[in-house]
Amino acid sequence: MSSTRNQPAAFERPGSKTEKQGTTMTGAQAVIASLEAEGVDLVFGYPGGQAIKIYDALFDSKRIRHVLARHEQGAVHEADGYARATGRVGVAIVTSGPGATNTVTGIATAYMDSVPLVVITGQVPRGVIGTDSFQESDIVGITMPVVKHSYLLQTTDELTQTFREAFHIASTGRPGPVLIDVPSDLASEAMVFDYPDEVNLPSYRPTYKGNVKQVKQAVSLIRESKRPVLYVGGGIVSSGATPELTELAETMQIPVVTTLMGKGAFPASHHLNYGPIGMHGSKFANMIMTESDLIIAAGARFSDRVTGKLSEFAPNAKVIHIDIDPAEIGKVREVRVPIVGDLKGVLGNMVAELAKQAVPPAPASWVEQADEWRKRFPFYHPGVGDRPDEIVPEIVMSTLSGMLDPEKSVVVTEVGQHQMWAAQHIQRETPRSFITSGGLGTMGFGFPASIGAALGCPDKTVVCVAGDGSFQMNTQEMATAAIQNVPVKVLIMDNRCLGMVHQWQKLFYNERYSSTLLDPVPDFVKLAEAYGWQAAQVSRPNDLVDALEAMLCAEGPYLLDVVISRDQNVYPMVAPGKAMNDVIGAIDVAVGAVRTLGDDEQDEKGGRR
């Protein structure tokens, strides 16, 4: 099977046979030559005893730049951020034992969000595997649930074929991480380098072309529908299907709502984009989904953070589910028309079939209703909960959004309240311009991922929006950014607490703040200066714009510590276990631009439904 057959353009293999073809070399040298043959020019990692031979071979490479992380987890997140921002396969190299086990969180993060990675781990010599030798861990067994595939090399004869397969598997079908475990004695053995152009994996043949009959069935459902909605996830980004999605939405006048991973898949400025849905999505987007009679799920997986109480989720809607991974279809929600295939081709075929059958657009009254809800239930309204002497998180995010060139910037987030504020208020126009840990929700992901994104997109401004809790998970990577002169900008929403858990404790646990209050340590400005960064703190609303301008205009890495109140909560919110139309804290301009309570709280307090 050809390695690029039916692949999306974003994952076409950039490498080719090199001048090293047919050269005698060691296994370690063949590892590096294989990476070069795949077109890899940047890897992230951390050396150690069982990986030292690979690193020695890397020393001689004229094509590959190595970025030395300060922790193996940071290295994998950096490779992940690079992959998400560029669409290419990210690569990390680490040693055995604790070096390998430190990668697990990063690998799991990439797996949950379908990110193409190849992680190379050193391993103890083959003769002592399984004897609990020094710095040995069964990393293949440990990572089995969170990789797309894994290899433990046994001979040099399989080395180049393994690397060829690994990059192919990581980047095709539903992308994901692949692990290659390289015993150190194998890295010393002599071999003849022969890198294959083709991959033959009879058991792995992703379906790219959607079934024609099912596409026609989907078109019939669209024709019958009066209130359709396009529910869009990260699969649109992976497939590069934004043009086809836009054409389908415009042709049929269908509202588009997005998951966290789908942000940027459809332009924020488009009048049919109704933004994020789910636990911290807008009330109007959740109402669109709830009242729809047809859900066209495109590269989305009906996550629990989207559906809420599943039995009450979009109760009157039929479902068309399009995904390249057949395991996702019907896993959570019953599907009327399943279509397995690549979104770019499937959506394009649907548009063509709709035109062929002259299917009219959805009734204008549906979009008019959606617009009415959008006006009535905005994400933010001046004066609601504002305190003139405090910085308001929503204003920080919307101000930052207005200062960034949407075509020349990438926003990366950590995980927590700040992540949700960023998703709600930072507008993105293009795919791969908003990077976040959606599936695993990994605190400590965003900052190292922003380093990888900045190295992958040196012509773009990269801003990491972080919380004071999550940023401290991988602060050691400040050294990586400083030494590599990566001009990443870190904006910390500093509330001296673990904000999202603190919010849950406030709303659902009678304000019993168990282990969520953080003392004001460290001094982030001094910490940044210790790493050679520029930094500043801002605590007054009137100083915010100047502080943001200073951050964005600075050369090199910069940290801005934005002081906000612990009492600031992310609204609107759907409580755990509640239906998506039972929203806490949504703003309703029809009753004076006040925040409304959820159904249960309103019943208890005698409020309106």
Side-chain angles (χ1 to χ4, degrees), residues 27-90:
Q29 291 171 328
V31 168
I32 303 306
S34 296
L35 295 179
E36 292 177 341
E38 288 292 339
V40 174
D41 56 11
L42 184 66
V43 300
F44 304 85
Y46 202 94
Q50 303 301 342
I52 195 168
K53 298 180 180 69
I54 297 174
Y55 270 87
D56 185 65
L58 180 60
F59 187 83
D60 293 326
S61 177
K62 301 297 190 294
R63 299 183 183 179
I64 299 175
R65 175 185 178 184
H66 179 266
V67 174
L68 176 62
R70 292 304 185 270
H71 191 284
E72 290 89 354
Q73 181 183 346
V76 179
H77 288 327
E78 285 157 12
D80 183 326
Y82 170 87
R84 296 192 202 214
T86 65
R88 299 182 63 187
V89 178

Side-chain angles (χ1 to χ4, degrees), residues 567-600:
D567 294 329
Q568 295 282 1
N569 291 326
V570 179
Y571 289 124
M573 179 181 185
V574 176
K578 298 294 184 180
M580 280 297 120
N581 59 346
D582 184 5
V583 181
I584 301 171
I587 294 172
D588 187 347
V589 298
V591 293
V594 297
R595 291 201 185 277
T596 58
L597 300 176
D599 288 349
D600 290 351

Side-chain angles (χ1 to χ4, degrees), residues 323-370:
D323 204 293
I324 200 165
D325 183 357
E328 289 295 347
I329 298 179
K331 184 174 75 174
V332 175
R333 174 64 183 255
E334 182 181 353
V335 175
R336 181 65 64 89
V337 177
I339 305 178
V340 178
D342 176 56
L343 282 160
K344 191 174 185 67
V346 173
L347 293 181
N349 290 340
M350 286 176 64
V351 170
E353 186 64 26
L354 286 162
K356 180 180 177 181
Q357 296 188 25
V359 176
S365 58
W366 176 229
V367 170
E368 290 170 0
Q369 176 65 78

Side-chain angles (χ1 to χ4, degrees), residues 216-229:
K216 290 182 178 179
Q217 290 173 344
V219 168
S220 294
L221 284 187
I222 295 172
R223 178 193 290 274
E224 298 168 3
S225 172
K226 304 300 181 185
R227 301 184 305 280
V229 60

Side-chain angles (χ1 to χ4, degrees), residues 397 400 410 412-414 418 446-451 461-468 470-472 474-475 477-478 481 486-493 524 527-528 533-538 547-548 551-552 554 556-562:
M397 295 296 101
L400 173 64
V410 177
V412 187
T413 81
E414 285 286 355
H418 60 277
F447 171 46
S450 67
I451 294 174
T461 299
V462 177
V463 178
C464 173
V465 177
D468 51 318
S470 56
F471 183 68
Q472 292 185 71
N474 274 310
T475 53
E477 297 308 313
M478 295 180 79
V486 183
V488 64
K489 316 303 179 189
V490 175
L491 188 157
I492 297 179
M493 301 297 286
F524 286 109
L527 178 66
W533 285 43
Q534 299 178 71
Q537 184 184 82
V538 60
L548 290 173
M551 177 187 75
L552 295 175
Y558 191 101
L559 183 148
L560 179 61
D561 183 17
V562 181

Side-chain angles (χ1 to χ4, degrees), residues 269-287:
S269 60
H270 199 290
H271 72 281
L272 290 172
N273 189 336
Y274 292 87
I277 56 169
M279 177 174 282
H280 292 292
S282 67
K283 181 169 182 175
F284 57 82
N286 285 342
M287 291 181 72

Side-chain angles (χ1 to χ4, degrees), residues 52-272:
I52 195 168
K53 298 180 180 69
I54 297 174
Y55 270 87
D56 185 65
L58 180 60
F59 187 83
D60 293 326
S61 177
K62 301 297 190 294
R63 299 183 183 179
I64 299 175
R65 175 185 178 184
H66 179 266
V67 174
L68 176 62
R70 292 304 185 270
H71 191 284
E72 290 89 354
Q73 181 183 346
V76 179
H77 288 327
E78 285 157 12
D80 183 326
Y82 170 87
R84 296 192 202 214
T86 65
R88 299 182 63 187
V89 178
V91 179
I93 304 174
V94 303
T95 194
S96 67
T101 58
N102 279 344
T103 68
V104 174
T105 299
I107 293 171
T109 301
Y111 179 78
M112 290 289 283
D113 288 344
S114 305
V115 179
L117 294 183
V118 170
V119 178
I120 302 162
T121 54
Q123 184 55 278
V124 299
R126 286 166 288 182
V128 296
I129 290 177
T131 66
D132 295 330
S133 58
F134 178 67
Q135 290 194 334
E136 179 188 1
S137 65
D138 178 11
I139 194 60
V140 170
I142 290 169
T143 59
M144 190 70 71
V146 292
V147 294
K148 190 174 178 184
H149 196 61
S150 58
Y151 297 87
L152 171 60
L153 287 178
Q154 299 290 347
T155 70
T156 55
D157 292 342
E158 64 187 15
L159 189 151
T160 55
Q161 186 66 42
T162 294
F163 272 80
R164 186 71 199 89
E165 290 178 6
F167 276 83
H168 176 70
I169 292 170
S171 61
T172 56
R174 179 177 183 172
V178 177
L179 184 136
I180 306 175
D181 205 20
V182 185
S184 59
D185 62 320
L186 184 150
S188 301
E189 288 187 0
M191 59 175 286
V192 176
F193 183 74
D194 181 17
Y195 203 74
D197 265 343
E198 296 189 349
V199 174
N200 184 22
L201 294 171
S203 63
Y204 175 71
R205 295 181 181 273
T207 299
Y208 281 90
K209 187 176 181 180
N211 182 278
V212 174
K213 181 179 179 180
Q214 290 169 333
V215 169
K216 290 182 178 179
Q217 290 173 344
V219 168
S220 294
L221 284 187
I222 295 172
R223 178 193 290 274
E224 298 168 3
S225 172
K226 304 300 181 185
R227 301 184 305 280
V229 60
L230 275 157
Y231 160 49
V232 170
I236 291 287
V237 177
S238 296
S239 177
T242 293
E244 290 74 18
L245 170 66
T246 303
E247 187 175 5
L248 175 59
E250 290 178 344
T251 299
M252 301 309 298
Q253 286 297 290
I254 301 176
V256 176
V257 297
T258 58
T259 68
L260 186 62
M261 297 304 300
K263 188 175 179 68
F266 191 67
S269 60
H270 199 290
H271 72 281
L272 290 172

